[in-house]
Amino acid sequence: MTAFTALVLAGDRGEPDAVSAYAGVAHKGLIKLQGEILLARVLRALAEAGATRIGVCANNAELLAALPAARPVGVAVEVIAPEAGPSLSVLRSAQALGTPLLVTTVDHALLKPEWVKQFIADAPASCDIAAFLAPEAAVRHDAPETKRTWLTFRDGRYSGCNLFLLRTPYALKAIELWRTVEAHRKKPWRIALILGLGTLARFALGRLTLDQAIADIGKRAGVKAAAVRSNYGLAAVDVDKPADLDLVRQITGEQP
C-alpha cells in the first residue's frame, strides 16, 4: 500500500482541555512546535509517508480556519464532523473514507513518516485491523523522562502509539466493539462480559502475550486483529498532559 488514505482525529469534546489552556490556544491542534501548528505537522508527516487523501475529523472553528494553510500540497483534505465519542467518529469517518484507512490523532506531535511507513509495511496482509505499539525498552531509550500508560503482557510492557490501520471493511466490526466498551466504561463488569472473562483472567495473571491478547479481542469482535511493534520509542509520545507538551518541546530543542 504505497499511497493511502488517512484520518486525523481532532474533535473538540466541548469541555476544557488542560493542554490547550496550558499552551494558550483554543485547540491542541493549534499548539505551535518548531514554528508549526500540530495539525500541520501531523498532516505533513502523513503526506510524506504517502497519504494522498486525508480526512480531518474536527469541529473547532479556529482549527478549521487554520486547515487551508496546513494542507500539504497535492493532498486532498476533507473535513468530517465528529460524532459523540471517538469510536463513533472513527466508524462514521471510515464509512465515508473507506478502507484501508490509517487512523491517528492531531496531538501526535512528533509523528514521523518513517513510523507510518514501518507500521503499514509490517501490518500482516491477513489482518483486518492493526495497532501500533512501542516496547517499553524502546520508549525508555528514546524518551527516558516520559510517563506512559503501560500494557503488561507475558512478553513485556508496551505503550500505544495512536496509530491504527483499518485494512479491510471487516475492521468496522472492531470499532463496533470499541463503541460498546466505551458505552459501558463506568461498568467494569459489563466490559468484562463483553471482552470475555477467560481473556481478562489470563491477562490479569500475566499469561497472555501481546499477540495473543490482540488476537483474542479481535476474535471477540469477529475480525483478524494484529499488533505491530514499533522500532521507534518516540512513537508512543503524544500530548495528553501539559508535562507531555514540555517533553516534546525539550525533545525538539525548544524550551518549555
Side-chain angles (χ1 to χ4, degrees):
M1 188 169 64
T2 303
F4 63 92
T5 300
L7 170 67
V8 178
L9 294 174
D12 190 335
R13 298 183 183 181
E15 56 189 38
D17 176 73
V19 181
S20 301
Y22 180 68
V25 295
H27 190 283
K28 281 200 286 188
L30 296 171
I31 294 172
K32 279 196 173 183
L33 188 65
Q34 295 182 304
E36 190 176 28
I37 62 172
L38 297 193
L39 174 63
R41 289 175 64 91
V42 170
L43 293 178
R44 176 172 50 79
L46 292 171
E48 291 176 1
T52 54
R53 182 187 182 200
I54 303 175
V56 177
C57 190
N59 56 348
N60 179 275
E62 291 186 42
L63 187 71
L64 293 176
L67 184 56
R71 183 180 70 84
V73 176
V75 176
V77 176
E78 54 197 272
V79 176
I80 299 173
E83 299 286 345
S87 61
L88 192 55
S89 291
V90 172
L91 178 61
R92 296 289 183 257
S93 298
Q95 290 171 338
L97 297 169
T99 56
L101 180 66
L102 181 96
V103 181
T104 190
T105 57
V106 77
D107 64 353
H108 211 328
L110 302 175
L111 186 64
K112 302 293 183 188
E114 52 266 34
W115 304 351
V116 178
K117 289 179 180 179
Q118 188 228 321
F119 178 38
I120 293 174
D122 290 355
S126 60
C127 76
D128 298 306
I129 188 169
F132 205 38
L133 298 103
E136 182 179 13
V139 179
R140 298 290 187 199
H141 179 271
D142 292 351
E145 297 180 10
T146 188
K147 294 182 180 178
R148 312 259 37 102
T149 298
W150 302 104
L151 299 171
T152 303
F153 299 97
R154 194 176 74 200
D155 54 336
R157 300 207 300 172
Y158 298 84
S159 183
C161 297
N162 279 357
L163 280 168
F164 304 91
L165 180 62
L166 312 183
R167 184 181 283 282
T168 75
Y170 294 107
L172 302 192
K173 292 182 180 180
I175 300 174
E176 289 284 8
L177 176 63
W178 174 18
R179 184 184 174 193
T180 303
V181 170
E182 192 175 67
H184 296 296
R185 63 188 181 278
K186 295 182 180 180
K187 299 177 181 178
W189 64 273
R190 291 291 297 272
I191 294 175
L193 291 175
I194 293 166
L195 297 181
L197 294 175
T199 296
L200 290 176
R202 286 185 293 146
F203 172 75
L205 293 171
R207 294 178 181 173
L208 277 179
T209 64
L210 171 61
D211 292 325
Q212 289 170 338
I214 294 293
D216 279 4
I217 293 173
K219 190 178 296 183
R220 178 69 55 172
V223 302
K224 292 181 180 179
V228 177
R229 291 159 177 78
S230 173
N231 294 334
Y232 309 94
L234 288 181
V237 178
D238 56 10
V239 184
D240 276 340
K241 305 178 295 295
D244 297 331
L245 180 56
D246 289 343
L247 177 64
V248 299
R249 283 172 170 167
Q250 290 171 3
I251 289 171
T252 56
E254 293 188 359
Q255 291 298 318

